[in-house]
Amino acid sequence: MIANYGYQDGSGEYYITIDTDRCIECEGRWCVGACPQSLFVIEADDYDDEVATIAEGARKKLKEKCAACKPAGGHESLPCIDACRPGAISHSW
Amino acid sequence: MPEETKEFWRWSEKVWRDESIDWRGSRAITAGIDVGSVSSQAVILADGRLYAYHSTRTGSNSPDSARKALNGAMAGADMSQEDIRYVVGTGYGRVNVPFANRAITEIACHARGANYMVGPSVKTILDMGGQDCKVIRCDEKGKVQNFIMNDKCAAGTGRGMEVIADALGVPIEDIGRRSFEIDEEPPPVSNVCTVFAKSEATGLLKAGWSVNRVLASYCAAMAERVSSLIERMSVEPDFFITGGIAKNEGVVRRIERIIGIEAVRLPADTVLDPQIAGALGAALFAHALLKKEQKASAQA
Amino acid sequence: MIVAGIDIGSKNIQVVVLEDGTVAARVSVASGFEQEESARKGIEEAAAAAGVTPADIEYIVATGVGRKAVAFTQHQVTEVAADAKGAFALNPAARTVIDVGADEARAIRIDATGKVIDFAVNEKCAAGAGAFVEAMSRALEVSLRRFGEISLESTESIPMNAQCTVFAESEVVSLIHSNTAQKDIAKAVHDAMAGRVSAMARRAGLENEVVIGGGVAHNVGFVRALKDTLGVGDLHVLPEPEYTGAFGAALIAAQKVAEGVPALNPQA
């Protein structure tokens, strides 16, 4: 499943995308520890696969949570994307 | 000026039951309960066939709303909660359905419900709920392949439409029809935010716009906002809209105009209601899970 | 030399009149539905308060969302430029300027000369602006002033889940029904909004000293919540905070005249 979690801030509309099929084989679950805001959790999805997802309570606050990793002046690489070895996580900017 | 006491946002609550089915003769009674932020639905299946449903407004407490929806669906059928073998909860309050055997996300439930309503041809689903809006792609079995959701804000949601209905003093069920009773399509209101759109609407009325023209302008803005979400995912027909806003033609037809694809309409004589898609999907999951459980215990 | 700055917001219009570099008058009027008319009224009232006539004002610079809707001004600048100018003049140590108005909010990072380095704005969502707190105080049936004050008495931290003003209203109503104390609800509301404004400020970049302007800076509850959330030294409230933009615009007007830009009769 491809899960897209979107948010809007003053500069535009962005999406964090998780290709959860790639999570199934993942052993390290590196995303969980990599995000300074603890956005990622591993949960059984509706079809009983253990996959990464954005914590339910954080989905409404993405624009605040992600802001710290994205200062307006310059885009550096994001810790979540860097940590994910299966390449499941992407971010639309 | 509208009277203070009149609640223009209030939509009609609905109860339906298939009188031709005697539920006592069926082996598996299952239920799905969708506790949304604005409305709660319960669907009861008898051996996997739609038997009854009820749609009601969500109160301040999720467990109570879940019970209220289920009691409404059971009312008059001489059925009690013990007769229901498996319950799946869904919607934003799904973890607060105390008597549910399992919670499943509304994404999976809406896909499954739409698959039942339309058939295996449905590929893209727009779920326009009270509090948020999602686009879901699924396979011919109704299994989710891809979905997209946004951080929650009232723009483009049922709650946003309720606020405008109240502000303009127009019953919510008349908005779609009245939004087409205009000479010429106006530009959409410029504010996305419901709070700002409400003041903009008041300003437009003061500037001499008719109420219908303001409604058209608001429906157009909502359609525009939702379409930008839909267009992020390539829309593969059949395209179906679930949730309460599916019943607002003022928004639906404007979405179709923008994306250039027609949404599937249920037949005029249908007993189905796009607002129950989530609860229906949950009930179908409940039926499948019950069968799985029964099979496992038979083998043991 | 008499000049004026006018900040035309969606709710209010602020006018600052400068006479030889000193503030001669500050006036605020409601924007209403006829912005041009309200803006003229604002200029007339400000001129009267300064003891001059509108014709005596040599140069007017407009800022704010409605700056282009008003024909009689000689020059328009963005809210970011006006705020930076005004805040830096009021506090030359300011490096991050936060401005929270009724319908919009901005954060601006400036350098040691007052030049804008970075900024972030929110003008699309009521939940990140003063309208949010206003709506919640209405739901609680408490005056806005009192709403800010009582939140200072609370030490509770109740998280608010709703990120949208419309949904937050229902959340506040359910908090009232569950008998949560008014002061605790007020603090929860201010904390939630401070979280959003702080995220915006972080996008612009935080650097001491941090100053705050805009009408919402009068709300003591919000200022405390923002200070706690930002976690950077002190948060300095600018004097007459709602006039920061208009003051900055007036300073720009004075600069234009000093640079020899031909002065026109604003009423012509």
Side-chain angles (χ1 to χ4, degrees), chain C residues 83-84 87-88 90-100 106-111 194 197-214 217 222-239 241 244:
Chain C
D83 265 349
F88 186 73
L90 292 166
N91 182 347
R95 293 298 172 269
T96 301
V97 180
I98 298 172
D99 184 308
V100 187
R106 319 172 253 290
I108 308 157
R109 198 149 55 85
I110 55 179
D111 68 12
V197 172
S198 154
M200 181 189 64
R202 272 176 224 283
R203 281 216 64 164
L206 281 175
E207 200 182 323
N208 277 323
E209 293 182 353
V210 183
V211 300
I212 179 165
F222 173 69
V223 169
R224 178 187 77 169
L226 184 61
K227 187 178 154 190
D228 291 349
T229 314
L230 288 172
V232 285
D234 217 351
L235 177 61
H236 304 269
V237 177
L238 294 169
T244 311

Side-chain angles (χ1 to χ4, degrees), chain A residues 25-36:
Chain A
E25 302 296 317
C26 175
E27 285 166 3
R29 299 179 170 181
W30 297 278
C31 56
V32 176
C35 173

Side-chain angles (χ1 to χ4, degrees), chain B residues 46-113:
Chain B
D47 289 332
R49 274 180 66 199
L50 182 63
Y51 171 60
Y53 66 79
H54 178 47
S55 179
T56 182
R57 189 161 185 91
T58 300
S60 57
N61 169 310
S62 297
D64 288 352
S65 305
R67 243 176 241 118
K68 191 173 141 208
L70 187 58
N71 288 341
M74 293 190 301
D78 194 26
M79 184 190 277
S80 76
Q81 212 174 290
E82 289 77 60
D83 297 314
I84 301 170
R85 303 281 300 280
Y86 204 104
V87 177
V88 167
T90 188
Y92 108 111
R94 65 182 177 279
V95 290
N96 289 317
V97 181
F99 46 91
N101 301 73
R102 188 170 164 179
I104 292 179
T105 67
E106 60 269 35
I107 299 160
C109 290
H110 273 272
R112 193 148 184 171

